[in-house]
Amino acid sequence: METAQDIAAIDETPLVGAMSVVMPDDVAAVPYYFARDHGLLVEGASDGAVSLAMREGADPLGLLEVRRVLGRPLATRKVSAGEFEKLLAQVYAQDGAAQVVGDMGIAGDGLDPLALGLPTAEDLLDSADDAPAIRLINGLIAESLRQGVSDIHIEPYETALVVRMRVDGVLTEKLRMPPHVAPVLVSRIKVMARLDIAERRMPQDGRISLSLGGKLVDVRVSTLPNRAGERVVMRLLDKENAGIELVQLGLDAQAEDALRRALAEPNGIVLVTGPTGSGKTTTLYAALRGLNDGARNILTVEDPVEYAVDGVGQTQVNAKVGLTFAAGLRAILRQDPDVVMVGEIRDRETAEIAVQASLTGHLVLSTVHTNDAAGAITRMRDMGVEPFLLASTLRAVIAQRLVRRLCSHCREERVLDAGMAEVLGMKAGRVVHTAKGCPECGQTGYAGRIGVFEAIRIDDTIRQMIHDNADENAIARHAFADSPTLAKAVRRMVKDGRTSPEEAARIMRRDGA
């Protein structure tokens, strides 16, 4: 009979080749809670043996149970506690999310059985009927994390309650339920987000903090009164995104150099511009991470605070008590900051305070909603900032978009037709890649998104042009004489086969500029 010592003495060199792939059945056989508590994680498997990651200090007795359940020889390798936690989150919160979802009661049958188990509206006050709603909400969030969903939309209509999910910027319907379950589901979400369930006439905002498979996730909840009930949107904020660094953003060499040079300045304004959902906040957090060396006092005022960052003082806007961007910015300037981040410059008052803060020795990071980098300069002037002040304080402007990345497993070649070639400013007949769809990408043809950037570094010439009230086109002509615009950057991605012509056309002007 094998002892724990016999099992622990198995070859600790990880197997390679066929062992490099995690087998879902083997992961499912070892529940998440067992792997977490005993420090044992299935890494790979073949017909012959199973490879395990074993946390330092783990009890070898747990190997006996794993060996009994799997019924195959084991090969272990010891890993540090930190590495084990990363592996645990990776396997169970992503690749092995089916097991976590299964623990919530939806296993391989999807969300439909849970939807059918919801009580009617009349049963809302019966606490015993909360369980199906809780299981469905947990299932929705777990399924969303597995699929990389950014937003969950719960939309009540007179004939149905529709659940849609946004993946890579595109909304897709995932579930359709009878309309009478809407009050049950919405009320349960409001309880989880600590909102007033009795208030159904006013919009409300809240937050739910979750831990799923060792992965910390914040869910931002927004409710809005609708004709057929209350509409709810839940935004999933993966806390790992707060740890992203500049080098991981995908900036081209010139844009990254412009941004790093601007961040190295002791004072001034750095603006990031683009539409909602273009990744501006992620870029700002990456910049803050690079500046957060412990020697600087970094303060932010945001609406809302999306990610908590250690070492950074973060303040959330609260219009109900008069804490606007301008009021918050004015207050944090009395907190002896070195670096200030303002979530968005929306009005003249905020813009003027940001300029004054940069003039008094602070580095100010913020966002503006414009279509391109040059447009941010004219927008600041339109808000009432004096050109001579803007010229002396602005250091760099970054414009960005997100486009969907083609799935590497199923992308296919096609010849670019004349109509699309005209939109993209490319030659017709060129071979490009387009989306097809396969099981790896959920039949969408795309897997993830990539950033497209353009950057204006404020040199002496542009500074003088801003001072002289030069128009947007003149500034852009000089700024992009030797660096790519958004159009050129995304055109290069099409040529490299990283995205499709259709995705590129979304962010390009028809004049090809």
Side-chain angles (χ1 to χ4, degrees):
M1 180 178 177
E2 292 176 309
T3 65
Q5 288 74 18
D6 295 330
I7 299 295
I10 295 175
D11 179 15
E12 294 185 354
T13 302
L15 301 183
V16 296
M19 301 294 292
S20 60
V21 179
V22 176
M23 306 297 286
D25 290 343
D26 292 309
V27 173
V30 181
Y32 165 73
Y33 67 86
F34 183 92
R36 178 196 62 200
D37 295 344
H38 290 80
L40 299 170
L41 179 66
V42 175
E43 284 194 296
S46 69
D47 293 336
V50 176
S51 176
L52 292 180
M54 185 174 181
R55 185 175 57 209
E56 289 181 352
D59 186 356
L61 287 173
L63 290 168
L64 290 173
E65 180 64 13
V66 175
R67 175 69 177 269
R68 183 190 68 79
V69 171
L70 298 180
R72 279 183 284 171
L74 306 178
T76 65
R77 72 179 183 98
K78 290 184 179 178
V79 298
S80 65
E83 183 181 355
F84 183 84
E85 291 300 322
K86 290 181 180 178
L87 289 172
L88 190 69
Q90 179 182 353
V91 171
Y92 284 93
Q94 297 175 12
D95 299 331
Q99 170 64 21
V100 180
V101 174
D103 290 342
M104 292 177 175
I106 59 179
D109 298 326
L111 299 168
D112 291 331
L114 287 183
L116 295 174
L118 284 172
T120 62
E122 290 76 11
D123 295 327
L124 181 60
L125 298 179
D126 184 357
S127 61
D129 283 326
D130 277 350
I134 295 171
R135 285 199 300 270
L136 177 58
I137 294 166
N138 289 344
L140 283 172
I141 295 172
E143 184 74 4
S144 299
L145 289 174
R146 186 180 68 83
Q147 296 183 10
V149 170
S150 60
D151 300 87
I152 304 171
H153 292 239
I154 298 174
E155 304 166 347
Y157 299 102
E158 290 181 348
T159 58
L161 175 65
V162 178
V163 177
R164 296 195 292 171
M165 297 182 182
R166 188 181 297 277
V167 182
D168 295 338
V170 178
L171 273 173
T172 306
E173 183 177 319
K174 295 293 184 180
L175 195 61
R176 185 173 286 262
M177 295 176 282
H180 68 259
V181 305
V184 181
L185 197 61
V186 171
S187 294
R188 188 62 230 178
I189 292 172
K190 290 170 74 172
V191 168
M192 295 172 69
R194 299 182 180 180
L195 301 178
D196 184 359
I197 62 172
E199 179 56 76
R200 299 175 183 174
R201 299 166 299 172
M202 295 291 293
Q204 297 186 68
D205 293 302
R207 187 181 292 262
I208 304 171
S209 294
L210 300 170
S211 177
L212 184 63
K215 194 181 188 73
L216 295 176
V217 179
D218 267 354
V219 182
R220 206 170 73 205
V221 178
S222 172
T223 69
L224 182 68
N226 202 19
R227 186 167 59 90
E230 284 184 282
R231 177 192 180 100
V232 178
V233 175
M234 296 188 289
R235 169 157 289 187
L236 277 60
L237 302 171
D238 188 345
K239 291 189 176 182
E240 290 183 0
N241 288 343
I244 196 170
E245 298 184 359
L246 281 178
V247 71
Q248 299 172 273
L249 292 176
L251 290 156
D252 62 76
Q254 289 166 306
E256 184 174 348
D257 180 67
L259 182 55
R260 288 189 182 277
R261 285 175 177 268
L263 294 175
E265 297 276 355
N267 55 61
I269 300 175
V270 178
L271 294 177
V272 181
T273 182
T276 300
S278 60
K280 301 186 299 296
T281 302
T282 300
T283 299
L284 286 178
Y285 275 107
L288 288 182
R289 182 175 175 82
L291 294 169
N292 188 16
D293 57 2
R296 296 180 176 94
N297 182 22
I298 303 176
L299 300 176
T300 75
V301 53
E302 307 171 56
D303 183 23
V305 175
E306 294 197 357
Y307 303 107
V309 182
D310 290 338
V312 176
Q314 297 170 277
T315 301
Q316 181 161 319
V317 167
N318 188 348
K320 292 180 181 178
V321 297
L323 183 55
T324 62
F325 276 118
L329 179 55
R330 192 180 295 110
I332 64 178
L333 290 177
R334 295 192 288 269
Q335 293 279 314
D336 185 32
D338 298 296
V339 179
V340 174
M341 188 188 93
V342 186
E344 184 183 346
I345 295 179
R346 297 176 178 172
D347 51 42
R348 176 173 182 171
E349 185 180 11
T350 307
E352 289 179 341
I353 299 172
V355 168
Q356 292 299 324
S358 66
L359 287 172
T360 53
H362 305 89
L363 182 62
V364 180
L365 280 59
S366 190
T367 68
V368 180
H369 282 287
T370 59
N371 290 327
D372 52 31
I377 298 173
T378 56
R379 177 64 57 82
M380 293 288 285
R381 291 194 304 214
D382 291 343
M383 285 184 190
V385 178
E386 294 290 346
F388 72 92
L389 291 175
L390 188 60
S392 61
T393 56
L394 198 59
R395 298 291 179 261
V397 184
I398 308 293
Q400 65 182 82
R401 299 288 192 279
L402 291 175
V403 294
R404 290 185 290 173
R405 181 192 287 111
L406 283 170
C407 174
S408 59
H409 295 88
C410 67
R411 65 175 189 171
E412 58 183 10
E413 293 183 347
R414 88 159 196 231
V415 176
L416 192 63
D417 60 76
M420 185 59 72
E422 182 182 358
V423 172
L424 299 181
M426 296 171 63
K427 292 182 179 180
R430 183 186 182 94
V431 176
V432 295
H433 289 82
T434 189
K436 180 182 178 183
C438 68
E440 292 288 335
C441 59
Q443 304 300 331
T444 64
Y446 299 94
R449 289 189 288 179
I450 46 179
V452 185
F453 299 88
E454 69 178 18
I456 296 179
R457 172 73 172 141
I458 309 300
D459 57 19
D460 291 338
T461 302
I462 295 180
R463 189 170 291 113
Q464 187 61 46
M465 295 174 77
I466 296 173
H467 185 276
D468 296 341
N469 264 330
D471 66 30
E472 182 178 322
N473 291 329
I475 293 173
R477 277 195 299 271
H478 173 78
F480 300 114
D482 299 315
S483 62
T485 60
L486 284 170
K488 290 179 181 177
V490 77
R491 196 179 295 131
R492 184 184 303 162
M493 290 181 177
V494 173
K495 293 176 181 177
D496 294 342
R498 288 186 285 169
T499 193
S500 66
E502 291 76 16
E503 278 293 294
R506 287 196 304 109
I507 69 168
M508 292 183 65
R509 299 196 298 242
R510 287 191 174 271
D511 60 7

